Amino acid sequence: MNRPTLDRQSSADESEPLDLASWRQHAHDFEREIAKAVVGQERAIRLLTIAVFARGHVLLEGDVGVGKTTLLRAVARALGGSYERIEGTIDLMPSDMIYHTFLNEEGKPRVEPGPVLRHGSDLSVFFFNEINRARPQVHSLLLRLMAERSITAFNKEYVFPNLLVFADRNRIEREETFELPAAARDRFLMEVGISTPTDDTARRDLLFDTKFHDVDSLIGSLTDSVIDYRRLNALAKVIQSTIIVSPALEKYVLDLWTAIREPAKAEIPVPNVDVTRLIAGGASPRGMSYLIRAARVRAWLSGREMVVPEDIREIFNECMAHRIFLAPVYELRREEIVRSLISGVFAKVPAP
Amino acid sequence: MRIWAFLAFVIFSVHPAAAAIDAVNVYEPRTFGYFIGDTLERDVEVVTSGSTELFTEALPRPGALTYWLDLVSIEQKTHENNGRRIYDIKLKYQIFYSAIEATDVEIPAFPLKFKNPSSVAPDGTAPSDLTEASKYSASVPALRLTIAPLRNLVLVDLMPDKTKELSDVLRPDIAAHEIATAQKEKTLALSGLSLLACGLLLLWHYAIWPFQTRAGRPFTQADRQIRDLFSYGTGDPSYREALLILHRAFDEAAGHRLLAEDASAFTAERPRFSGLTPRLQAFFESSRLYFFSDDRRTAEERFPFENIKKLAGDLAREERAAA
C-alpha cells in the first residue's frame, strides 16, 4: 500500500522554532487520532507515540488478530509521509526489498526500485509484517537500515533520515520462522506486547461496531498527517536536550542497570530460579541509552521538564525485556522470569 | 497305647472281581479311662478296588450324635495303591457324659455307603444268604467305652484336724517379676522432648507467640531520626537526609519502593493515613523537585524542613494508633 508523498512547504516549516508545549498538544492529537481506530490499547498507543518522538524502531508482538497491523497502519497514517509495507516470507531475499525486475510492455527487461527505495528519502514508515518469517539475510539488511537509516544499492548510498521501522510478529507459530538475531533485536527501541483488550466497552465495540469491521475504511477515515514527520528529528533533539535528567536519577538508573545485570548481588528474588546463573548477558549500554531517550519523551508527554523514576518504571519492560538474555535453561519461561526479575528490581532499588 | 482292632470284612472273591470292597479296617483307641470332656479319635481305613467307590458324602457330619456325644470333626483323605483306592477317615469325638460312677456307654455304629458295590455276586447270582450279602456292604461298628466319674477332693478329707494352714499345704504363688521400665521411661522422655521441639518449630514457622515479631514501626523510627537531625540544623544536607529517611520509611511501610505516583494507592490501602493524603502528595512533589530537577530552592520553600518533621510526627502517631 503506497501513498504519494504529501506535498508540503517544508522549507517554511523547518525554519519555525519548535515550541515544546504546542508540539505536546500535537502529540496528544496524534494519540487521540490513533485511538479512534484502535480501541482498548491506550498503553500501546502511548508507547508507540513515545517511540515516534524518540525516533526509535518498534517491534510489536502478540497473538493473531489482536490489531497489531491495524495499530501500525493507524500510526503510519497519522504520521504522514511515505509508507511501505512488506510481508515476511521464507523465500524473501534482501534484493526483493531493494529492486524488482520484470519485462515491460515492449518486452524489454526493466529494473525498478523495490519497496525500500521507491520513495527515496521521503520514506517515513517501513512496516515489516511477520518479521520472523523472513530469512537472516533479510534481517541483516534490516539491521543496517535500522541502525544507519541508509542502504547501498546500484552503487549509490540511499539515506532515509525520517525512517521508522515497525515490525510485528506473532507468538503462536514457531515452524518455518527465524528468530531475530540479538543484534537486530537490540536495534529496536521497544518490543511492545499487544494483547486482547480486557475492557468490556472496548470488547463490545470491536465485535459489534461495524466501523471496526472494515480495516481499510477505518484507516482511511483517520486524519492524515496529524504531525509533520519531517520535523520530528529536530523535535527529538530539542526534547532530548531540554528534559532534565538529574544526578539522582542517573544514579537510580545505574543502580537499576547493575541490579538487572547482577540480580544475585542485588538479592533480587525470582521464584524457582537460581539467580546466580540466570543472566547470560544483555542489558546493553545502547539499550540503557535508548531507555533514557524514551524516558525523556515520556516526561515531555506528561508535561514535565524532568525525568522521574516513574518514567523509567513505566517503559522499562518494553525497552529492556528483549535485551536481557537468559541462560538457555530459563529461556522457555522467559516472559514470566523477566517480568518478575524487572518487578523485583524495581521493588528493591531505592529511589531517590 | 492305642489299641487297634482289626475288624475286617475282607472279601476274598472266588474270581478276581472287577469291583469290590476289599477291606474296612478300624483302628480304635483305648476303651476305658474316660472322663467328661475327653476326646478320642478313631481311624477308619476303607480299601476298594475297581469301579467301587466310597460314597464320602454319606459319612456322618460333625455335630451332636447323642445327648452325651459330639462328633467334633471328620477328616477324609483318599490315595491309590496298586490299583486299589484307600480312604483314610479320621473321626474325632468328645464325651459329655457326666458319670456318677464308672459306667459303659456305646458309640453307635454307622453304615458305609458305596457306589457300584457289586451287590451281584461274581457268578451272576444274587447273594444267597446274609453272610454272603455282607461281602457287598460294610459299616463301622459300635464302640463300647468305660467312663469314670470325676473325683471330688476336699481339704477336710486330706487334713481333718486342720493342723496346718492352707498356705503351708499349697505351693506358694509364683512371685510376680518386675517389668523393666527404665528403657521405656527414657523413650518417653525423649519423645516428649522431640514433641516439644516440634511444637516450638511449628510456632516459629507460623510466627505465633513467642516468636511473633512486632510489626515494624518505620514511621516512628523515621520521626525519631528526623527530630535528631532537626537538632543539628536545617541546612541543605539535613533537608536531603530528612527526605531520604522519610522515603525509606515509606518504602518499608509499603513493602516495596514507593514512588510519587503510588502515594494515592498507599493511602487507599491504609485508610488511617488518608487524612494526610494532601500533605503526602506535597511531600512527594517537592521531593521530586529536589532530587530530579535542578530546582532545590523551590522544593525547600514549598515543603520546608519543619513540614517534613511535622509530617513524620503525624505519620508516626497514626502508625502507633493503628497498632
Side-chain angles (χ1 to χ4, degrees):
Chain A
M1 195 178 93
N2 304 320
R3 249 186 281 111
T5 312
L6 285 167
D7 203 11
R8 284 171 195 267
Q9 291 166 352
S10 57
S11 55
D13 285 345
E14 276 163 22
S15 62
E16 270 178 34
L18 288 156
D19 172 23
L20 283 184
S22 71
W23 266 97
R24 187 183 303 131
Q25 200 50 49
H26 290 323
H28 289 152
D29 292 344
F30 174 76
E31 281 186 323
R32 272 193 291 276
E33 199 59 31
I34 299 167
K36 285 180 193 166
V38 186
V39 292
Q41 301 286 8
E42 290 74 18
R43 186 174 146 75
I45 293 173
R46 171 49 65 101
L47 289 168
L48 280 172
T49 311
I50 292 172
V52 165
F53 286 94
R55 311 306 294 145
H57 312 296
V58 178
L59 178 64
L60 292 194
E61 200 180 46
D63 287 351
V64 180
V66 288
K68 298 187 295 288
T69 311
T70 311
L71 175 59
L72 291 185
R73 283 178 68 185
V75 171
R77 170 89 182 175
L79 196 58
S82 302
Y83 161 87
E84 270 298 339
R85 169 176 173 171
I86 196 161
E87 307 295 326
T89 56
I90 193 156
D91 57 351
L92 182 79
M93 295 307 286
S95 54
D96 297 331
M97 291 169 67
I98 295 166
Y99 63 85
H100 68 102
T101 56
F102 63 103
L103 292 176
N104 68 0
E105 294 84 3
E106 289 116 41
K108 290 185 178 164
R110 294 272 296 154
V111 178
E112 292 265 314
V116 177
L117 300 184
R118 194 174 295 145
H119 302 284
S121 60
D122 199 36
L123 188 64
S124 74
V125 172
F126 187 77
F127 174 22
F128 207 124
N129 209 4
E130 302 258 20
I131 191 169
N132 54 338
R133 298 208 166 273
R135 291 170 160 280
Q137 294 95 312
V138 180
H139 292 159
S140 62
L141 178 83
L142 202 67
L143 189 70
R144 160 101 196 260
L145 192 63
M146 287 198 293
E148 298 172 18
R149 291 193 162 88
S150 69
I151 55 169
T152 309
F154 308 120
N155 294 326
K156 197 177 144 191
E157 180 147 321
Y158 289 83
V159 183
F160 312 94
N162 303 314
L163 177 71
L164 284 184
V165 175
F166 291 146
D168 80 0
R169 64 170 174 183
N170 77 55
R171 283 184 303 200
I172 303 300
E173 290 136 334
R174 296 269 182 227
E175 294 86 13
E176 294 198 342
T177 61
F178 298 91
E179 193 48 60
L180 280 175
R185 289 184 85 174
D186 204 46
R187 290 311 197 281
F188 284 104
L189 171 71
M190 290 183 190
E191 229 176 79
V192 180
I194 306 284
S195 51
T196 313
T198 47
D199 169 38
D200 261 359
T201 328
R203 286 154 76 109
R204 191 171 296 134
D205 284 352
L206 279 177
L207 259 64
F208 301 108
D209 192 339
T210 49
K211 85 171 182 181
F212 293 110
H213 293 183
D214 181 356
V215 176
D216 285 335
S217 66
L218 179 67
I219 300 294
S221 70
L222 299 182
T223 314
D224 195 359
S225 315
V226 182
I227 48 179
D228 183 359
Y229 71 95
R230 282 165 300 186
R231 305 200 68 194
L232 291 181
N233 281 342
L235 176 69
K237 267 186 200 147
V238 175
I239 294 171
Q240 295 302 321
S241 59
T242 311
I243 304 297
I244 298 163
V245 173
S246 70
L249 193 98
E250 282 173 8
K251 183 180 177 303
Y252 178 59
V253 174
L254 289 172
D255 288 349
L256 286 178
W257 194 20
T258 316
I260 281 282
R261 289 180 68 92
E262 289 163 0
K265 250 186 213 170
E267 295 172 0
I268 311 291
V270 182
N272 305 325
V273 167
D274 176 9
V275 283
T276 52
R277 298 188 304 163
L278 175 63
I279 302 292
S284 61
R286 174 173 41 218
M288 292 307 286
S289 76
Y290 276 177
L291 174 74
I292 299 302
R293 253 181 106 78
R296 278 197 162 109
V297 175
R298 186 182 182 268
W300 168 69
L301 281 173
S302 312
R304 264 184 275 108
E305 286 186 349
M306 58 188 169
V307 179
V308 293
E310 285 90 332
D311 293 323
I312 306 285
R313 188 174 66 178
E314 187 61 21
I315 56 171
F316 196 88
N317 203 43
E318 279 75 11
C319 286
M320 295 309 294
H322 63 285
R323 297 176 215 275
I324 300 168
F325 301 107
L326 305 182
V329 67
Y330 297 118
E331 201 53 46
L332 276 179
R333 285 167 56 210
R334 174 182 186 81
E335 202 173 321
E336 166 207 341
I337 289 176
V338 170
R339 192 178 301 126
S340 64
L341 172 69
I342 289 176
S343 63
V345 166
F346 275 95
K348 201 87 180 182
V349 176
Chain B
M1 196 182 88
R2 181 178 276 194
I3 300 166
W4 64 274
F6 183 73
L7 290 166
F9 293 85
V10 186
I11 298 157
F12 298 102
S13 304
V14 178
H15 304 285
I21 304 163
D22 291 340
V24 175
N25 304 326
V26 183
Y27 302 91
E28 299 287 18
R30 69 174 197 271
T31 58
F32 59 90
Y34 290 102
F35 297 94
I36 182 167
D38 282 358
T39 58
L40 64 147
E41 284 183 8
R42 302 173 78 189
D43 295 327
V44 181
E45 185 185 65
V46 181
V47 184
T48 65
S49 58
S51 62
T52 304
E53 287 176 30
L54 180 69
F55 200 62
T56 53
E57 287 80 357
L59 289 172
R61 303 249 170 112
L65 294 181
T66 65
Y67 72 96
W68 61 273
L69 184 70
D70 274 11
L71 180 58
V72 178
S73 67
I74 174 162
E75 286 169 26
Q76 184 258 314
K77 279 183 208 157
T78 312
H79 65 270
E80 299 223 352
N81 192 7
N82 288 332
R84 290 180 169 179
R85 200 173 286 112
I86 299 165
Y87 298 90
D88 286 324
I89 303 161
K90 195 181 276 289
L91 297 152
K92 187 176 180 187
Y93 299 90
Q94 188 169 21
I95 297 157
F96 293 105
Y97 191 91
S98 175
I100 296 167
E101 55 190 13
T103 181
D104 277 1
V105 289
E106 188 177 86
I107 295 177
F110 61 89
L112 296 169
K113 296 196 173 162
F114 294 89
K115 282 182 198 167
N116 306 323
S118 299
S119 57
V120 177
D123 54 1
T125 60
S128 53
D129 56 30
L130 278 173
T131 344
E132 191 69 14
S134 69
K135 289 183 181 174
Y136 308 108
S137 66
S139 66
V140 174
L143 175 68
R144 283 195 81 78
L145 300 171
T146 306
I147 296 181
L150 289 171
R151 300 292 301 274
N152 52 339
L153 294 172
V154 180
L155 192 62
V156 182
D157 301 340
L158 294 176
M159 202 168 50
D161 49 354
K162 281 190 184 172
T163 51
K164 286 179 180 173
E165 286 297 315
L166 188 61
S167 55
D168 297 334
V169 180
L170 295 180
R171 269 194 191 175
D173 288 340
I174 299 168
H177 71 278
E178 198 178 342
I179 301 170
T181 55
Q183 188 61 36
K184 289 193 168 68
E185 275 167 9
K186 262 186 213 163
T187 315
L188 180 70
L190 212 62
S191 309
L193 279 178
S194 36
L195 187 70
L196 190 70
C198 288
L200 286 174
L201 265 176
L202 206 65
L203 288 176
W204 174 78
H205 180 70
Y206 286 112
I208 301 170
W209 183 92
F211 299 101
Q212 188 177 21
T213 50
R214 205 180 65 164
R217 291 187 171 178
F219 290 122
T220 310
Q221 283 181 3
D223 177 42
R224 194 173 303 140
Q225 285 172 337
I226 288 171
R227 269 189 282 123
D228 286 353
L229 212 59
F230 192 72
S231 59
Y232 285 114
T234 57
D236 189 61
S238 297
Y239 184 74
R240 182 191 154 86
E241 191 62 29
L243 285 176
L244 286 176
I245 288 169
L246 205 49
H247 268 299
R248 293 298 84 83
F250 274 116
D251 291 348
E252 200 183 327
H256 57 90
R257 302 296 170 184
L258 197 78
L259 305 184
E261 282 179 10
D262 311 329
S264 50
F266 177 78
T267 49
E269 278 174 23
R270 294 162 185 78
R272 189 161 277 280
F273 295 128
S274 59
L276 302 169
T277 308
R279 284 163 66 201
L280 284 190
Q281 276 163 354
F283 161 75
F284 277 109
E285 201 51 48
S286 48
S287 160
R288 259 186 178 180
L289 275 179
Y290 185 88
F291 286 108
F292 301 120
S293 79
D294 50 4
D295 200 2
R296 294 183 173 195
R297 191 167 295 279
T298 317
E300 275 186 73
E301 278 168 15
R302 280 196 200 165
F303 206 79
F305 200 124
E306 287 75 21
N307 288 20
I308 299 177
K309 183 167 152 271
K310 195 161 181 309
L311 177 63
D314 290 348
L315 283 167
R317 196 192 62 237
E318 290 300 331
E319 183 182 62
R320 282 195 297 272

